[in-house]
Amino acid sequence: MSGTTVDSDGYDRRRELQAFDDTKAGVKGLVDAGVTVIPPIFRHPPEALEGVIITSSTSEEDMAAIIPTVNLSSRREEAVAQVRRAAGTVGFFQVVEHGVPADLMAGMLAGVRGFNEGPAEAKRALYSRDQARKARFNSNFDLFTSAAANWRDTLFLDLAPDPPPPEELPETVRHVAAEYGEAVTEVALRVLELLSESLGLRGDHLREMGCAQSLNAACQYYPPCPEPHLTLGTRSHTDPGFLTVLLQDGMAGLQVLVDGGTWVDVPPVPGALLINIGDLLQLVSNDRFRSVEHRVVANKSKDTARVSVASFFNTDMRRSTRLYGPITGTGIPIYRSVTARDFIATFISVGLDGRPLDHYRLDSTPAM
């Protein structure tokens, strides 16, 4: 299904998408207007909403066995082993003792919430689909190409290697975004060291490959949804870059796909950051690490939005012409080499409905 179809009843989906986009108010604007029935553009097909779910009511021990928690201050050998196991199976793990102050994490989340719940004029001024803008706000980056829109709004901040001047940032995050970006980058570099060593490489190998040269923060705002059973906050997808570090507020909503078809709730762990492997890291590891599908269910709260900040780490795509392929020593190459720029371009072209990694497989070997 494309964003340009007109059905047999004369329903013009493209017109409705454009009308929504023209408000520059996002999903929050619909909620503020008092909608009680979600517009058709947000309705997902039943198969996208289904699946066996292991809920957050599962015991802490059982949940930790699925999505482990890694203490970054633990013995090196133990941390490397935990990261190797998690990255090679579920592709997600929590990290604690990561060094990011609690008040800095809380300040970042509060700034994102304040922007979305602040004056509509401030959001309209930043509303854009121009990816050259380093600070921009919109709802659904693939709004006009996806099969169904997601019930969320996003503030995008390109924080490295060339951050925007402070005056271009929303006032609510101006005092905290740069500091948070630097702190979360340190976490990403520590995790990349553990991942490098888990492959039998020097600790600086993945860093020297440029896997964390750029940082793009997607500050997600998931407003309450009047019909959460009919839509998603973010539909099933994988992250295209090398590594993602997720900061969540106290509200659950993220689900990870495991065992070929079971969705697992990933409730926030107080004080923790959630790490997940991206497609490019699966590619260079030659499937030793797994980039796993995940989604966010629509917000069932009656009055409180869910907020998260996803920090996506990648190479410097504006300058890098490096070809990324399977690292020597990881076995017979499964993937052909590609620049990060071309890989991300593939992701943008297929949107969240596709899997860009599959475009670079050398044979018909199914994805893990």
Side-chain angles (χ1 to χ4, degrees), residues 103-346:
D103 59 350
L104 182 57
M105 295 191 293
M108 188 66 189
L109 290 170
V112 173
R113 185 179 297 277
F115 169 75
N116 283 277
E117 296 176 358
E121 294 78 11
K123 291 190 287 185
R124 280 197 291 267
L126 278 179
Y127 201 93
S128 176
R129 298 194 178 278
D130 180 2
Q131 294 187 37
R133 292 186 60 172
K134 295 180 179 181
R136 59 196 184 277
F137 167 71
N138 65 48
S139 184
N140 290 261
F141 77 91
D142 57 351
L143 180 69
F144 293 98
T145 58
S146 63
N150 297 302
W151 197 259
R152 72 154 198 279
D153 299 325
T154 308
L155 171 66
F156 294 98
L157 304 174
D158 295 349
L159 297 178
D162 304 307
E167 60 269 20
E168 290 185 11
L169 295 173
E171 186 176 352
T172 61
V173 299
R174 192 173 298 163
H175 65 293
V176 70
E179 184 181 359
Y180 178 75
E182 292 172 0
V184 79
T185 297
E186 289 301 312
V187 176
L189 292 174
R190 291 173 68 184
V191 171
L192 286 172
E193 286 184 2
L194 297 173
L195 289 165
S196 294
E197 292 176 23
S198 77
L199 290 173
L201 304 169
R202 284 177 32 176
D204 63 355
H205 192 98
L206 291 172
R207 176 176 184 163
E208 292 301 312
M209 285 176 61
C211 298
Q213 288 178 337
S214 75
L215 166 56
N216 307 104
C219 307
Q220 311 284 23
Y221 184 84
Y222 299 92
C225 182
E227 295 181 300
H229 59 291
L230 296 178
T231 189
L232 288 166
T234 303
R235 62 187 171 280
S236 178
H237 68 287
T238 57
D239 293 347
F242 285 98
L243 195 73
T244 303
V245 182
L246 181 68
L247 169 64
Q248 304 183 80
D249 66 7
M251 187 177 295
L254 177 67
Q255 295 181 336
V256 174
L257 189 65
V258 300
D259 297 331
T262 301
W263 288 102
V264 177
D265 282 337
V266 186
V269 173
L273 292 167
L274 184 66
I275 309 293
N276 70 277
I277 304 300
D279 289 346
L280 278 171
L281 197 50
Q282 178 170 332
L283 186 151
V284 299
S285 74
N286 212 29
D287 276 1
R288 298 272 289 275
F289 301 148
R290 294 188 60 206
S291 177
V292 173
E293 288 186 57
H294 49 288
R295 68 184 184 185
V296 178
V297 296
N299 185 355
K300 298 178 182 179
S301 171
K302 299 298 183 183
D303 54 13
T304 304
R306 178 181 182 268
V307 175
S308 68
V309 179
S311 296
F312 300 111
F313 289 92
N314 208 331
T315 192
D316 180 359
M317 291 185 292
R318 290 188 178 93
R319 301 177 179 89
S320 175
T321 58
R322 177 172 184 155
L323 285 170
Y324 286 94
I327 296 170
T328 301
T330 56
I332 298 173
I334 298 172
Y335 301 98
R336 58 188 173 93
S337 298
V338 60
T339 65
R341 183 183 305 168
D342 286 345
F343 192 90
I344 297 301
T346 301

